[in-house]
Amino acid sequence: MIFDHISQYLGQKIKALRYHFLKLRLALLGQGTYQIQGFTEIEQWGQQQAVNQRIAQWQTLVTESGNTYKYKVDPGAGKPGFRLIRESQRSLYLGNNAGIFSHKGIVYHQHQGAIVAETLEDWETDHFYSVEFTKIRYDAEILLEGLSFSLCSLGSQDNYCHFLLDSLPKLYLARNLISEIDQLLISGPATKYQQKILDFLDLNIPRVWLDSGDQYRCQQLLFTTRLNNTLHACPWAVEASRNLLLSRYLGKAHQPPHKTIFASRKSAQKRRTNLEEKVLELFPEAEVIDFATLSIEETIQVCQSCETFVGFHGAAFANLIFCQPGTKVIEFQIENTLHNHQYYFFPLTQQLKMPHHIHIFPQNISPDQEISLLKQAVHHSYLNVSSYAESQSPVHELT
């Protein structure tokens, strides 16, 4: 456990040092072959400079404005109060002869030497300090004919939650054009959860998986802005994924919510904890679910029957989008292991009117403290979700 924390800490420091080094290099040497530009600038340049339609057709197909929402943070998370979540403008773009690079889905215009700013992604970092695009090469492109659509998004290559709430909403924004798409471009390498979700949607479209250094030139490319501009999933993205997936399930016979579900992390690659089995002993009525082993239809079926959703923080909590409004949520966390992620699911649960309580365990619990702390945590959590069921405010749109 201590070794894991040390490794995680050193990894973050090395990543930060590398980022600052590359940022310094950009400041001293410039951006190199490509310059970062907003899509509107690239679109206008194409209209002014193009001799033929092939270059000119960089255009905005769909634009929707985002809203600003206020949500309340549970006092159990340590910092009670209200937070704001601002949705970014949502746009769907078409680029002819467009380049795309890496699993992050960075789009570029080779004729103009421009990187599309709206496709540069790095959590909580100004995209004008992005350095990933400096690895783009002229001689490494593979041509994709026809119409390609990019589902690439940050984190979706190795995190179920980000694929569900960052990549899938792109499909919803382009839902009227899906029948015209020749291939999907997806953050890779391919994972079981990505395949399961796309199969459930009956998307029988060829899939191209983009790894960190992959580079393609698309005869035509559909791509979107970043639909979540913070670590949180915005209300629009949550509803988009729910509409895509639940519309294929609802209408089938299902029972009213009646189960307590415990989302197991035993098969998780990180943040596993030896507290899970001991917490489970205090939920004798709970059905233990490893969501990684279920199909999407089975996942929805389990969640639709869920009255209380319990577990340690992780991507499995994204499955709350399949639960019915009013589902009680008890989330356990380990102190100092989540950094800025501890509030990630609060906007989602309040949007769906789900009473949600967090209990944070100390990082190191002595055997003498363990049982009493666990019992107190479970008792306190049940009391809180019961009281919040009546008093918790949903996410409010600000005008």
Side-chain angles (χ1 to χ4, degrees):
M1 178 72 75
I2 294 175
F3 178 76
D4 289 342
H5 290 309
I6 293 173
S7 298
Q8 185 182 29
Y9 175 79
L10 290 176
Q12 291 168 349
K13 290 297 181 184
I14 291 170
K15 183 179 179 181
L17 287 171
R18 179 178 175 275
Y19 165 75
H20 287 298
F21 170 76
L22 291 172
K23 181 178 170 182
L24 178 63
R25 191 184 81 174
L26 277 180
L28 294 174
L29 303 178
Q31 294 173 353
T33 307
Y34 291 95
Q35 302 293 316
I36 300 172
Q37 293 188 11
F39 185 87
T40 301
E41 295 176 78
I42 298 171
E43 187 177 25
Q44 291 172 350
W45 179 89
Q47 293 167 351
Q48 294 167 2
Q49 302 294 325
V51 176
N52 58 61
Q53 193 69 7
R54 181 177 64 84
I55 298 177
Q57 282 186 348
W58 278 62
Q59 54 187 299
T60 303
L61 302 181
V62 176
T63 296
E64 299 176 357
S65 59
N67 296 311
T68 298
Y69 295 89
K70 180 176 71 172
Y71 67 97
K72 188 176 181 180
V73 174
D74 172 23
K79 295 180 180 178
F82 287 93
R83 303 283 189 276
L84 294 181
I85 182 166
R86 294 180 175 88
E87 294 181 332
S88 55
Q89 177 177 283
R90 300 178 289 275
S91 296
L92 176 66
Y93 302 128
L94 173 68
N96 274 23
N97 202 33
I100 186 167
F101 175 72
S102 96
H103 61 273
K104 294 183 178 180
I106 299 171
V107 177
Y108 59 96
H109 190 307
Q110 193 178 83
H111 291 283
Q112 192 182 353
I115 301 293
V116 180
E118 289 87 346
T119 65
L120 289 174
E121 296 199 24
D122 207 353
W123 296 129
E124 300 182 336
T125 300
D126 187 333
H127 63 243
F128 281 99
Y129 289 127
S130 175
V131 295
E132 188 83 11
F133 70 88
T134 60
K135 302 172 188 174
I136 294 175
R137 296 168 296 172
Y138 273 115
D139 59 350
E141 295 178 327
I142 300 171
L143 177 63
L144 293 175
E145 296 184 348
L147 179 63
S148 304
F149 179 42
S150 172
L151 292 182
C152 296
S153 62
L154 193 63
S156 66
Q157 78 282 2
D158 60 5
N159 187 288
Y160 169 78
C161 179
H162 289 303
F163 185 72
L164 195 66
L165 298 175
D166 289 283
S167 291
L168 274 198
K170 294 172 183 279
L171 273 174
Y172 188 74
L173 193 63
R175 59 193 179 279
N176 295 327
L177 296 171
I178 288 176
S179 61
E180 301 178 33
I181 295 169
D182 294 300
Q183 54 261 329
L184 294 172
L185 310 184
I186 310 167
S187 303
T191 62
K192 287 182 180 179
Y193 63 78
Q194 292 168 318
Q195 302 276 30
K196 285 193 296 188
I197 291 173
L198 296 174
D199 290 346
F200 177 75
L201 291 172
D202 286 337
L203 288 174
N204 299 314
I205 303 171
R207 300 163 191 174
V208 178
W209 304 92
L210 274 73
D211 213 335
S212 57
D214 291 341
Q215 189 171 338
Y216 291 90
R217 181 165 56 86
C218 304
Q219 187 176 17
Q220 288 191 304
L221 176 64
L222 283 172
F223 61 100
T224 75
T225 50
R226 183 177 178 174
L227 300 179
N228 291 308
N229 61 356
T230 71
L231 287 171
H232 300 287
C234 71
W236 180 88
V238 171
E239 278 305 306
S241 291
R242 280 171 58 84
N243 285 334
L244 280 173
L245 294 162
L246 286 178
S247 63
R248 302 189 65 81
Y249 179 86
L250 295 181
K252 299 182 180 182
H254 61 272
Q255 296 177 313
H258 62 285
K259 291 182 179 179
T260 296
I261 299 299
F262 190 99
S264 175
R265 290 192 59 78
K266 283 189 176 180
S267 63
Q269 298 298 310
K270 56 185 179 181
R271 290 202 301 271
R272 283 178 292 191
T273 172
N274 57 10
L275 288 177
E276 182 172 310
E277 289 186 4
K278 292 164 185 176
V279 168
L280 261 173
E281 292 174 4
L282 302 174
F283 288 92
E285 77 285 10
E287 181 178 340
V288 181
I289 300 293
D290 183 351
F291 283 101
T293 66
L294 303 184
S295 68
I296 297 302
E297 185 159 353
E298 289 169 335
T299 296
I300 296 175
Q301 186 176 11
V302 165
C303 289
Q304 283 285 299
S305 68
C306 178
E307 183 179 23
T308 304
F309 192 104
V310 186
F312 282 85
H313 178 97
F317 275 73
N319 292 313
L320 288 167
I321 70 169
F322 304 130
C323 293
Q324 298 192 45
T327 300
K328 299 179 179 68
V329 181
I330 297 175
E331 179 182 354
F332 296 115
Q333 298 179 5
I334 307 296
E335 188 180 29
N336 298 326
T337 59
L338 295 178
H339 307 291
N340 295 324
H341 301 182
Q342 65 265 43
Y343 311 124
Y344 183 87
F345 295 106
F346 264 99
L348 186 158
T349 53
Q350 290 186 41
Q351 179 182 349
L352 300 178
K353 300 179 182 178
M354 296 176 175
H356 183 179
H357 177 71
I358 285 179
H359 185 88
I360 302 177
F361 290 112
Q363 204 160 28
N364 298 303
I365 305 175
S366 69
D368 294 337
Q369 296 176 306
E370 206 167 70
I371 298 300
S372 62
L373 277 176
L374 291 176
K375 287 182 177 178
Q376 289 174 24
V378 171
H379 177 69
H380 185 63
S381 298
Y382 266 126
L383 286 177
N384 275 276
V385 293
S386 297
S387 62
Y388 292 168
E390 297 299 326
S391 64
Q392 189 181 33
S393 301
V395 175
H396 293 289
E397 181 180 343
L398 300 182
T399 57

mmCIF file of all heavy atoms in Angstrom, residues 293-331:
data_model
loop_
_atom_site.group_PDB
_atom_site.id
_atom_site.type_symbol
_atom_site.label_atom_id
_atom_site.label_comp_id
_atom_site.label_asym_id
_atom_site.label_seq_id
_atom_site.Cartn_x
_atom_site.Cartn_y
_atom_site.Cartn_z
ATOM 1 N N THR A 293 -17.683 -7.445 -15.169
ATOM 2 C CA THR A 293 -18.022 -8.773 -15.692
ATOM 3 C C THR A 293 -19.400 -8.814 -16.355
ATOM 4 O O THR A 293 -19.776 -9.840 -16.929
ATOM 5 C CB THR A 293 -17.999 -9.810 -14.548
ATOM 6 O OG1 THR A 293 -19.045 -9.508 -13.616
ATOM 7 C CG2 THR A 293 -16.657 -9.810 -13.839
ATOM 8 N N LEU A 294 -20.158 -7.719 -16.290
ATOM 9 C CA LEU A 294 -21.524 -7.711 -16.808
ATOM 10 C C LEU A 294 -21.595 -7.122 -18.216
ATOM 11 O O LEU A 294 -20.774 -6.277 -18.595
ATOM 12 C CB LEU A 294 -22.443 -6.888 -15.893
ATOM 13 C CG LEU A 294 -22.545 -7.297 -14.423
ATOM 14 C CD1 LEU A 294 -23.580 -6.418 -13.738
ATOM 15 C CD2 LEU A 294 -22.898 -8.758 -14.274
ATOM 16 N N SER A 295 -22.594 -7.545 -18.961
ATOM 17 C CA SER A 295 -22.903 -6.877 -20.216
ATOM 18 C C SER A 295 -23.585 -5.549 -19.894
ATOM 19 O O SER A 295 -23.996 -5.311 -18.745
ATOM 20 C CB SER A 295 -23.830 -7.746 -21.067
ATOM 21 O OG SER A 295 -25.113 -7.828 -20.449
ATOM 22 N N ILE A 296 -23.735 -4.683 -20.893
ATOM 23 C CA ILE A 296 -24.410 -3.405 -20.651
ATOM 24 C C ILE A 296 -25.870 -3.633 -20.292
ATOM 25 O O ILE A 296 -26.412 -2.985 -19.386
ATOM 26 C CB ILE A 296 -24.286 -2.486 -21.883
ATOM 27 C CG1 ILE A 296 -22.813 -2.151 -22.134
ATOM 28 C CG2 ILE A 296 -25.073 -1.196 -21.662
ATOM 29 C CD1 ILE A 296 -22.103 -1.487 -20.978
ATOM 30 N N GLU A 297 -26.522 -4.579 -20.941
ATOM 31 C CA GLU A 297 -27.919 -4.855 -20.607
ATOM 32 C C GLU A 297 -28.055 -5.368 -19.175
ATOM 33 O O GLU A 297 -28.962 -4.961 -18.443
ATOM 34 C CB GLU A 297 -28.516 -5.878 -21.577
ATOM 35 C CG GLU A 297 -29.992 -6.102 -21.341
ATOM 36 C CD GLU A 297 -30.719 -6.685 -22.526
ATOM 37 O OE1 GLU A 297 -30.109 -6.808 -23.602
ATOM 38 O OE2 GLU A 297 -31.909 -7.014 -22.367
ATOM 39 N N GLU A 298 -27.124 -6.238 -18.745
ATOM 40 C CA GLU A 298 -27.145 -6.729 -17.362
ATOM 41 C C GLU A 298 -26.877 -5.598 -16.379
ATOM 42 O O GLU A 298 -27.487 -5.527 -15.303
ATOM 43 C CB GLU A 298 -26.102 -7.830 -17.190
ATOM 44 C CG GLU A 298 -26.456 -9.140 -17.885
ATOM 45 C CD GLU A 298 -25.312 -10.118 -17.927
ATOM 46 O OE1 GLU A 298 -24.131 -9.675 -17.865
ATOM 47 O OE2 GLU A 298 -25.557 -11.323 -18.031
ATOM 48 N N THR A 299 -25.960 -4.700 -16.749
ATOM 49 C CA THR A 299 -25.649 -3.550 -15.900
ATOM 50 C C THR A 299 -26.884 -2.682 -15.698
ATOM 51 O O THR A 299 -27.216 -2.284 -14.568
ATOM 52 C CB THR A 299 -24.516 -2.715 -16.521
ATOM 53 O OG1 THR A 299 -23.325 -3.500 -16.567
ATOM 54 C CG2 THR A 299 -24.258 -1.447 -15.712
ATOM 55 N N ILE A 300 -27.590 -2.378 -16.777
ATOM 56 C CA ILE A 300 -28.798 -1.554 -16.675
ATOM 57 C C ILE A 300 -29.853 -2.263 -15.834
ATOM 58 O O ILE A 300 -30.519 -1.652 -14.983
ATOM 59 C CB ILE A 300 -29.353 -1.225 -18.077
ATOM 60 C CG1 ILE A 300 -28.337 -0.372 -18.845
ATOM 61 C CG2 ILE A 300 -30.690 -0.491 -17.968
ATOM 62 C CD1 ILE A 300 -28.727 -0.098 -20.289
ATOM 63 N N GLN A 301 -30.001 -3.557 -16.030
ATOM 64 C CA GLN A 301 -30.993 -4.330 -15.286
ATOM 65 C C GLN A 301 -30.718 -4.289 -13.792
ATOM 66 O O GLN A 301 -31.620 -4.070 -12.976
ATOM 67 C CB GLN A 301 -30.990 -5.779 -15.783
ATOM 68 C CG GLN A 301 -32.091 -6.643 -15.179
ATOM 69 C CD GLN A 301 -32.104 -8.043 -15.772
ATOM 70 O OE1 GLN A 301 -31.181 -8.430 -16.476
ATOM 71 N NE2 GLN A 301 -33.143 -8.798 -15.483
ATOM 72 N N VAL A 302 -29.442 -4.478 -13.409
ATOM 73 C CA VAL A 302 -29.053 -4.419 -11.997
ATOM 74 C C VAL A 302 -29.326 -3.034 -11.432
ATOM 75 O O VAL A 302 -29.896 -2.878 -10.341
ATOM 76 C CB VAL A 302 -27.564 -4.788 -11.834
ATOM 77 C CG1 VAL A 302 -27.057 -4.389 -10.451
ATOM 78 C CG2 VAL A 302 -27.361 -6.288 -12.051
ATOM 79 N N CYS A 303 -28.929 -2.006 -12.174
ATOM 80 C CA CYS A 303 -29.060 -0.634 -11.672
ATOM 81 C C CYS A 303 -30.526 -0.202 -11.574
ATOM 82 O O CYS A 303 -30.894 0.551 -10.663
ATOM 83 C CB CYS A 303 -28.277 0.327 -12.562
ATOM 84 S SG CYS A 303 -26.482 0.166 -12.395
ATOM 85 N N GLN A 304 -31.355 -0.651 -12.502
ATOM 86 C CA GLN A 304 -32.770 -0.299 -12.445
ATOM 87 C C GLN A 304 -33.446 -0.878 -11.197
ATOM 88 O O GLN A 304 -34.441 -0.352 -10.721
ATOM 89 C CB GLN A 304 -33.479 -0.796 -13.704
ATOM 90 C CG GLN A 304 -33.228 0.060 -14.933
ATOM 91 C CD GLN A 304 -33.991 1.365 -14.904
ATOM 92 O OE1 GLN A 304 -35.222 1.385 -14.859
ATOM 93 N NE2 GLN A 304 -33.268 2.479 -14.924
ATOM 94 N N SER A 305 -32.899 -1.988 -10.673
ATOM 95 C CA SER A 305 -33.481 -2.615 -9.476
ATOM 96 C C SER A 305 -32.841 -2.116 -8.177
ATOM 97 O O SER A 305 -33.193 -2.556 -7.089
ATOM 98 C CB SER A 305 -33.332 -4.138 -9.554
ATOM 99 O OG SER A 305 -31.964 -4.504 -9.460
ATOM 100 N N CYS A 306 -31.895 -1.173 -8.313
ATOM 101 C CA CYS A 306 -31.110 -0.722 -7.156
ATOM 102 C C CYS A 306 -31.837 0.371 -6.375
ATOM 103 O O CYS A 306 -32.245 1.388 -6.927
ATOM 104 C CB CYS A 306 -29.753 -0.205 -7.645
ATOM 105 S SG CYS A 306 -28.696 0.432 -6.338
ATOM 106 N N GLU A 307 -31.948 0.165 -5.067
ATOM 107 C CA GLU A 307 -32.510 1.180 -4.170
ATOM 108 C C GLU A 307 -31.399 1.940 -3.460
ATOM 109 O O GLU A 307 -31.509 3.141 -3.215
ATOM 110 C CB GLU A 307 -33.429 0.523 -3.139
ATOM 111 C CG GLU A 307 -34.107 1.513 -2.214
ATOM 112 C CD GLU A 307 -35.028 0.841 -1.220
ATOM 113 O OE1 GLU A 307 -34.836 -0.361 -0.932
ATOM 114 O OE2 GLU A 307 -35.941 1.513 -0.712
ATOM 115 N N THR A 308 -30.304 1.229 -3.109
ATOM 116 C CA THR A 308 -29.142 1.848 -2.447
ATOM 117 C C THR A 308 -27.879 1.359 -3.138
ATOM 118 O O THR A 308 -27.655 0.152 -3.261
ATOM 119 C CB THR A 308 -29.087 1.485 -0.954
ATOM 120 O OG1 THR A 308 -30.320 1.860 -0.330
ATOM 121 C CG2 THR A 308 -27.938 2.209 -0.264
ATOM 122 N N PHE A 309 -27.058 2.292 -3.585
ATOM 123 C CA PHE A 309 -25.816 1.993 -4.313
ATOM 124 C C PHE A 309 -24.648 2.316 -3.387
ATOM 125 O O PHE A 309 -24.492 3.455 -2.954
ATOM 126 C CB PHE A 309 -25.748 2.838 -5.586
ATOM 127 C CG PHE A 309 -24.686 2.442 -6.560
ATOM 128 C CD1 PHE A 309 -25.007 1.746 -7.725
ATOM 129 C CD2 PHE A 309 -23.350 2.772 -6.351
ATOM 130 C CE1 PHE A 309 -24.030 1.395 -8.652
ATOM 131 C CE2 PHE A 309 -22.372 2.426 -7.266
ATOM 132 C CZ PHE A 309 -22.712 1.727 -8.418
ATOM 133 N N VAL A 310 -23.810 1.321 -3.086
ATOM 134 C CA VAL A 310 -22.730 1.471 -2.114
ATOM 135 C C VAL A 310 -21.411 1.051 -2.748
ATOM 136 O O VAL A 310 -21.378 0.113 -3.567
ATOM 137 C CB VAL A 310 -22.984 0.598 -0.859
ATOM 138 C CG1 VAL A 310 -21.931 0.870 0.214
ATOM 139 C CG2 VAL A 310 -24.384 0.824 -0.309
ATOM 140 N N GLY A 311 -20.322 1.699 -2.367
ATOM 141 C CA GLY A 311 -19.020 1.255 -2.829
ATOM 142 C C GLY A 311 -17.936 2.268 -2.571
ATOM 143 O O GLY A 311 -18.195 3.378 -2.091
ATOM 144 N N PHE A 312 -16.700 1.867 -2.871
ATOM 145 C CA PHE A 312 -15.562 2.781 -2.812
ATOM 146 C C PHE A 312 -15.459 3.512 -4.145
ATOM 147 O O PHE A 312 -15.713 2.933 -5.212
ATOM 148 C CB PHE A 312 -14.277 2.009 -2.510
ATOM 149 C CG PHE A 312 -14.129 1.643 -1.060
ATOM 150 C CD1 PHE A 312 -14.728 0.494 -0.559
ATOM 151 C CD2 PHE A 312 -13.416 2.456 -0.185
ATOM 152 C CE1 PHE A 312 -14.620 0.160 0.780
ATOM 153 C CE2 PHE A 312 -13.301 2.132 1.156
ATOM 154 C CZ PHE A 312 -13.906 0.979 1.649
ATOM 155 N N HIS A 313 -15.079 4.770 -4.086
ATOM 156 C CA HIS A 313 -15.022 5.635 -5.263
ATOM 157 C C HIS A 313 -14.332 4.941 -6.434
ATOM 158 O O HIS A 313 -13.278 4.344 -6.291
ATOM 159 C CB HIS A 313 -14.261 6.925 -4.922
ATOM 160 C CG HIS A 313 -14.119 7.855 -6.088
ATOM 161 N ND1 HIS A 313 -14.965 8.909 -6.298
ATOM 162 C CD2 HIS A 313 -13.214 7.871 -7.117
ATOM 163 C CE1 HIS A 313 -14.602 9.554 -7.394
ATOM 164 N NE2 HIS A 313 -13.556 8.945 -7.912
ATOM 165 N N GLY A 314 -14.951 5.035 -7.610
ATOM 166 C CA GLY A 314 -14.367 4.464 -8.813
ATOM 167 C C GLY A 314 -15.309 4.615 -9.987
ATOM 168 O O GLY A 314 -16.435 5.124 -9.868
ATOM 169 N N ALA A 315 -14.852 4.140 -11.153
ATOM 170 C CA ALA A 315 -15.616 4.301 -12.390
ATOM 171 C C ALA A 315 -16.968 3.622 -12.340
ATOM 172 O O ALA A 315 -17.891 4.004 -13.071
ATOM 173 C CB ALA A 315 -14.800 3.761 -13.568
ATOM 174 N N ALA A 316 -17.135 2.601 -11.474
ATOM 175 C CA ALA A 316 -18.428 1.913 -11.383
ATOM 176 C C ALA A 316 -19.553 2.870 -11.005
ATOM 177 O O ALA A 316 -20.724 2.619 -11.341
ATOM 178 C CB ALA A 316 -18.350 0.777 -10.360
ATOM 179 N N PHE A 317 -19.229 3.974 -10.335
ATOM 180 C CA PHE A 317 -20.265 4.940 -9.950
ATOM 181 C C PHE A 317 -20.864 5.637 -11.177
ATOM 182 O O PHE A 317 -21.941 6.230 -11.076
ATOM 183 C CB PHE A 317 -19.704 5.970 -8.974
ATOM 184 C CG PHE A 317 -19.723 5.516 -7.542
ATOM 185 C CD1 PHE A 317 -18.829 4.561 -7.092
ATOM 186 C CD2 PHE A 317 -20.644 6.015 -6.636
ATOM 187 C CE1 PHE A 317 -18.836 4.121 -5.784
ATOM 188 C CE2 PHE A 317 -20.676 5.589 -5.320
ATOM 189 C CZ PHE A 317 -19.770 4.630 -4.889
ATOM 190 N N ALA A 318 -20.190 5.553 -12.328
ATOM 191 C CA ALA A 318 -20.778 6.102 -13.550
ATOM 192 C C ALA A 318 -22.053 5.360 -13.915
ATOM 193 O O ALA A 318 -22.926 5.906 -14.604
ATOM 194 C CB ALA A 318 -19.777 6.021 -14.701
ATOM 195 N N ASN A 319 -22.182 4.119 -13.442
ATOM 196 C CA ASN A 319 -23.390 3.342 -13.727
ATOM 197 C C ASN A 319 -24.627 3.891 -13.014
ATOM 198 O O ASN A 319 -25.743 3.427 -13.266
ATOM 199 C CB ASN A 319 -23.179 1.880 -13.332
ATOM 200 C CG ASN A 319 -22.167 1.200 -14.235
ATOM 201 O OD1 ASN A 319 -22.224 1.320 -15.447
ATOM 202 N ND2 ASN A 319 -21.213 0.500 -13.627
ATOM 203 N N LEU A 320 -24.435 4.888 -12.158
ATOM 204 C CA LEU A 320 -25.587 5.551 -11.547
ATOM 205 C C LEU A 320 -26.503 6.174 -12.595
ATOM 206 O O LEU A 320 -27.688 6.391 -12.329
ATOM 207 C CB LEU A 320 -25.107 6.624 -10.564
ATOM 208 C CG LEU A 320 -24.489 6.103 -9.256
ATOM 209 C CD1 LEU A 320 -23.773 7.230 -8.523
ATOM 210 C CD2 LEU A 320 -25.562 5.475 -8.365
ATOM 211 N N ILE A 321 -25.981 6.446 -13.775
ATOM 212 C CA ILE A 321 -26.846 7.020 -14.818
ATOM 213 C C ILE A 321 -27.930 6.033 -15.227
ATOM 214 O O ILE A 321 -28.933 6.428 -15.829
ATOM 215 C CB ILE A 321 -26.045 7.483 -16.062
ATOM 216 C CG1 ILE A 321 -25.493 6.294 -16.854
ATOM 217 C CG2 ILE A 321 -24.955 8.458 -15.685
ATOM 218 C CD1 ILE A 321 -24.938 6.689 -18.212
ATOM 219 N N PHE A 322 -27.741 4.742 -14.915
ATOM 220 C CA PHE A 322 -28.743 3.729 -15.247
ATOM 221 C C PHE A 322 -29.746 3.503 -14.109
ATOM 222 O O PHE A 322 -30.728 2.794 -14.295
ATOM 223 C CB PHE A 322 -28.072 2.400 -15.573
ATOM 224 C CG PHE A 322 -27.055 2.477 -16.673
ATOM 225 C CD1 PHE A 322 -25.787 1.945 -16.513
ATOM 226 C CD2 PHE A 322 -27.362 3.084 -17.874
ATOM 227 C CE1 PHE A 322 -24.849 2.015 -17.528
ATOM 228 C CE2 PHE A 322 -26.438 3.163 -18.904
ATOM 229 C CZ PHE A 322 -25.172 2.623 -18.723
ATOM 230 N N CYS A 323 -29.455 4.058 -12.923
ATOM 231 C CA CYS A 323 -30.343 3.887 -11.781
ATOM 232 C C CYS A 323 -31.545 4.823 -11.899
ATOM 233 O O CYS A 323 -31.519 5.799 -12.653
ATOM 234 C CB CYS A 323 -29.599 4.173 -10.474
ATOM 235 S SG CYS A 323 -28.298 2.972 -10.088
ATOM 236 N N GLN A 324 -32.558 4.537 -11.105
ATOM 237 C CA GLN A 324 -33.751 5.372 -11.138
ATOM 238 C C GLN A 324 -33.577 6.577 -10.207
ATOM 239 O O GLN A 324 -32.868 6.493 -9.196
ATOM 240 C CB GLN A 324 -34.971 4.544 -10.723
ATOM 241 C CG GLN A 324 -35.232 3.377 -11.674
ATOM 242 C CD GLN A 324 -36.577 2.733 -11.438
ATOM 243 O OE1 GLN A 324 -37.587 3.417 -11.272
ATOM 244 N NE2 GLN A 324 -36.608 1.407 -11.433
ATOM 245 N N PRO A 325 -34.176 7.705 -10.553
ATOM 246 C CA PRO A 325 -34.090 8.877 -9.674
ATOM 247 C C PRO A 325 -34.526 8.512 -8.255
ATOM 248 O O PRO A 325 -35.469 7.748 -8.057
ATOM 249 C CB PRO A 325 -35.072 9.860 -10.318
ATOM 250 C CG PRO A 325 -35.069 9.479 -11.764
ATOM 251 C CD PRO A 325 -34.931 7.988 -11.779
ATOM 252 N N GLY A 326 -33.808 9.059 -7.275
ATOM 253 C CA GLY A 326 -34.113 8.775 -5.877
ATOM 254 C C GLY A 326 -33.266 7.673 -5.276
ATOM 255 O O GLY A 326 -33.303 7.449 -4.059
ATOM 256 N N THR A 327 -32.468 6.985 -6.095
ATOM 257 C CA THR A 327 -31.574 5.947 -5.571
ATOM 258 C C THR A 327 -30.629 6.554 -4.536
ATOM 259 O O THR A 327 -30.044 7.615 -4.769
ATOM 260 C CB THR A 327 -30.743 5.321 -6.709
ATOM 261 O OG1 THR A 327 -31.632 4.742 -7.666
ATOM 262 C CG2 THR A 327 -29.794 4.251 -6.186
ATOM 263 N N LYS A 328 -30.483 5.899 -3.380
ATOM 264 C CA LYS A 328 -29.575 6.378 -2.342
ATOM 265 C C LYS A 328 -28.149 5.949 -2.686
ATOM 266 O O LYS A 328 -27.909 4.815 -3.122
ATOM 267 C CB LYS A 328 -29.975 5.823 -0.975
ATOM 268 C CG LYS A 328 -31.370 6.228 -0.518
ATOM 269 C CD LYS A 328 -31.690 5.599 0.838
ATOM 270 C CE LYS A 328 -33.072 6.017 1.331
ATOM 271 N NZ LYS A 328 -34.155 5.455 0.498
ATOM 272 N N VAL A 329 -27.187 6.861 -2.478
ATOM 273 C CA VAL A 329 -25.791 6.603 -2.850
ATOM 274 C C VAL A 329 -24.893 6.801 -1.640
ATOM 275 O O VAL A 329 -24.886 7.882 -1.028
ATOM 276 C CB VAL A 329 -25.338 7.536 -3.993
ATOM 277 C CG1 VAL A 329 -23.898 7.244 -4.386
ATOM 278 C CG2 VAL A 329 -26.264 7.400 -5.200
ATOM 279 N N ILE A 330 -24.150 5.754 -1.279
ATOM 280 C CA ILE A 330 -23.174 5.832 -0.196
ATOM 281 C C ILE A 330 -21.800 5.558 -0.805
ATOM 282 O O ILE A 330 -21.536 4.472 -1.317
ATOM 283 C CB ILE A 330 -23.476 4.812 0.922
ATOM 284 C CG1 ILE A 330 -24.829 5.136 1.567
ATOM 285 C CG2 ILE A 330 -22.369 4.822 1.977
ATOM 286 C CD1 ILE A 330 -25.274 4.115 2.599
ATOM 287 N N GLU A 331 -20.954 6.564 -0.766
ATOM 288 C CA GLU A 331 -19.634 6.487 -1.405
ATOM 289 C C GLU A 331 -18.548 6.569 -0.344
ATOM 290 O O GLU A 331 -18.513 7.513 0.444
ATOM 291 C CB GLU A 331 -19.487 7.630 -2.415
ATOM 292 C CG GLU A 331 -18.148 7.663 -3.126
ATOM 293 C CD GLU A 331 -18.028 8.848 -4.082
ATOM 294 O OE1 GLU A 331 -19.040 9.575 -4.265
ATOM 295 O OE2 GLU A 331 -16.931 9.069 -4.604
#
